[in-house]
Amino acid sequence: MRKEIVSPLMMSACSESSWPSYRAGACLTVDLDAIASNYRFLRERVGRASCAAVVKADAYGLGVEQVAPVLEAAGAQDFFVAHVDEGIRLRSVVSENARITVLHGPRPGVANDCLRYGLRPVLNSLEQIAIWRDEAHRVDVPLEAVFQVDSGMSRFGLSVADIERLRENSDLMAGLKIGLVMSHLACADMPDHSANPLQRARMLEMCAQLPSAPMSLAASSGIFLGSDYHLDMVRPGAALYGIAPNHVGPNPLSAVVRLQAHVLQVRDLLPGDGVGYGMIYRAAEPRRIAVVAAGYADGFSRHGAGQGCAWFEEFRLPLIGRVSMDSLIVDISDVPEGRLDADMMVDLIGSRRSVDDVAVAAGTIGYEVLTSLGHRFYRNYVGKAESSEKAIDTSAQNTR
């Protein structure tokens, strides 16, 4: 009887049903060393500015329990999440010295939870300022917060009118200490976009109307706009996980994920045979195809599927037909017969096809692909950053 080695720490990293590797249809390998390397690369790039780490959305889908300690060991002291519950979850896996900032701020009734778990809220509106101010009065202790200003994206942050009200009535901020003023760039992935310098200038103008505090504008792509955008702190997220910061030149970041899926069946097509729902593909000549254990329930969009592919060794395997919920189909006619059989694995993401490549085919961005990768994959964490207790059995992978 096959025995699977899964530590308690790994249990949270596997699929929701904790499928062992030999039963899972696909394996997602996460290189923790690559994440640490990307963090150090970004930290060095920004010089004197501090470098935070954004680990919202379960560390962009890769597992915050595994990723956050690695980032802290690499030097990260500031972490950003979107929701209070993400912050509570993160608090249990980083040291007490780590500072956790909640981007969405305190909703009514949750300010006490922020205090209890040591979470610093971002205050995006006068209403949120009032919530946090009332909490400071309740506990009779000055409370630190981050103020976000809207420099032009019209998504989050205090408006010019809001800041004017704060200037006119300082009591609105009574009991609050501004630990950081931040904003967010809308077009940072387009280095020549005119909005970038305009947003920077507007942020500096707005900050000059508030009490003096450190400033943060650049996230992943903004880091690559140059030192003028680094200010006092940068907040990389996607770049930590290998997503290209822009489309100017090669990606300078290390790839973090590899996704391999099992072949479920190999079939022969005759001329005229249709493939998949709608039979949008029909064979013009005899072809061999492989049915692969990954589908749109695992994060592979039906949109743009005809531009997609998998890889097996040096062979590109075009994706044909529509992606199904649990499977997709690739053309393996170029692979010598008998070399790729059922239960072997093909690469859906890897050295020949990046997360960004998958995104282009699907008409989206790498962020969406990464955060959509499914919960049915076996999660395999590798790298020197990984502890010895995370050992897993991979004996069933890519064997015949």
Side-chain angles (χ1 to χ4, degrees), residues 41-357:
F41 170 78
L42 296 167
R43 185 184 61 192
E44 291 171 5
R45 189 178 183 93
V46 300
R48 295 182 179 180
S50 65
C51 187
V54 180
V55 293
K56 61 184 180 179
D58 195 23
Y60 285 56
L62 300 185
V64 73
E65 286 87 358
Q66 290 74 28
V67 170
V70 169
L71 288 167
E72 188 172 17
Q77 298 177 324
D78 278 279
F79 294 86
F80 283 77
V81 296
H83 298 283
V84 168
D85 280 291
E86 289 182 329
I88 293 172
R89 180 183 176 189
L90 176 61
R91 176 55 70 197
S92 68
V93 298
V94 294
S95 74
E96 62 181 12
N97 296 322
R99 182 162 51 188
I100 301 173
T101 301
V102 179
L103 291 165
H104 286 181
R107 295 180 59 248
V110 302
N112 184 252
D113 293 306
C114 290
L115 284 183
R116 179 182 177 187
Y117 292 98
L119 310 179
R120 182 176 67 165
V122 174
L123 305 180
N124 299 286
S125 65
L126 295 178
E127 292 79 9
Q128 289 187 340
I129 290 175
I131 290 171
W132 200 235
R133 181 195 65 221
D134 290 346
E135 187 68 11
H137 291 170
R138 186 186 71 81
V139 297
D140 196 25
V141 174
L143 296 182
E144 183 175 330
V146 175
F147 276 31
Q148 180 157 205
V149 298
D150 178 14
S151 59
M153 194 173 179
S154 302
R155 186 180 66 169
F156 289 113
L158 301 166
S159 67
V160 172
D162 291 335
I163 292 177
E164 183 62 27
R165 285 192 62 186
L166 294 175
R167 287 189 63 201
E168 293 173 351
N169 186 356
S170 59
D171 288 344
L172 295 176
M173 296 185 290
L176 303 186
K177 175 185 176 183
I178 304 178
L180 182 74
V181 180
M182 63 172 282
S183 193
H184 196 70
L185 293 164
C187 306
D189 58 337
M190 296 176 276
D192 295 329
H193 201 289
S194 60
N196 295 321
L198 290 176
Q199 280 196 260
R200 179 182 179 275
R202 186 174 185 183
M203 179 188 176
L204 294 178
E205 291 173 1
M206 297 175 82
C207 287
Q209 308 304 312
L210 292 169
S212 179
M215 296 179 292
S216 178
L217 178 61
S220 289
S221 297
I223 290 172
F224 293 84
L225 295 178
S227 59
D228 285 349
Y229 291 83
H230 297 163
L231 303 179
D232 300 296
M233 174 187 283
V234 297
R235 313 180 311 273
L240 298 173
Y241 313 111
I243 301 296
N246 53 52
H247 300 293
V248 180
N251 186 354
L253 302 160
S254 299
V256 169
V257 300
R258 180 185 185 187
L259 178 60
Q260 300 165 281
H262 283 282
V263 172
L264 298 173
Q265 188 179 28
V266 173
R267 303 177 63 92
D268 292 311
L269 297 182
L270 297 175
D273 284 348
V275 173
Y277 287 114
M279 295 186 180
I280 60 172
Y281 174 90
R282 287 189 179 273
E285 57 187 345
R287 310 297 294 174
R288 276 184 303 113
I289 63 172
V291 182
V292 178
Y296 61 74
D298 304 298
F300 280 83
S301 172
R302 294 173 86 241
H303 178 73
Q307 306 300 315
C309 70
W311 283 85
F312 176 73
E313 297 176 351
E314 72 271 25
F315 299 99
R316 183 182 185 275
L317 314 177
L319 196 156
I320 60 175
R322 286 184 174 146
V323 174
S324 299
M325 181 180 290
D326 312 300
S327 63
L328 53 82
I329 297 172
V330 293
D331 188 330
I332 64 169
S333 302
D334 291 341
V335 181
E337 193 164 356
R339 194 160 166 180
L340 176 58
D341 292 332
D343 205 43
M344 296 180 69
M345 301 185 88
V346 298
D347 277 300
L348 297 177
I349 299 174
S351 60
R352 295 179 182 269
R353 185 167 175 78
S354 70
V355 172
D356 291 302
D357 293 333

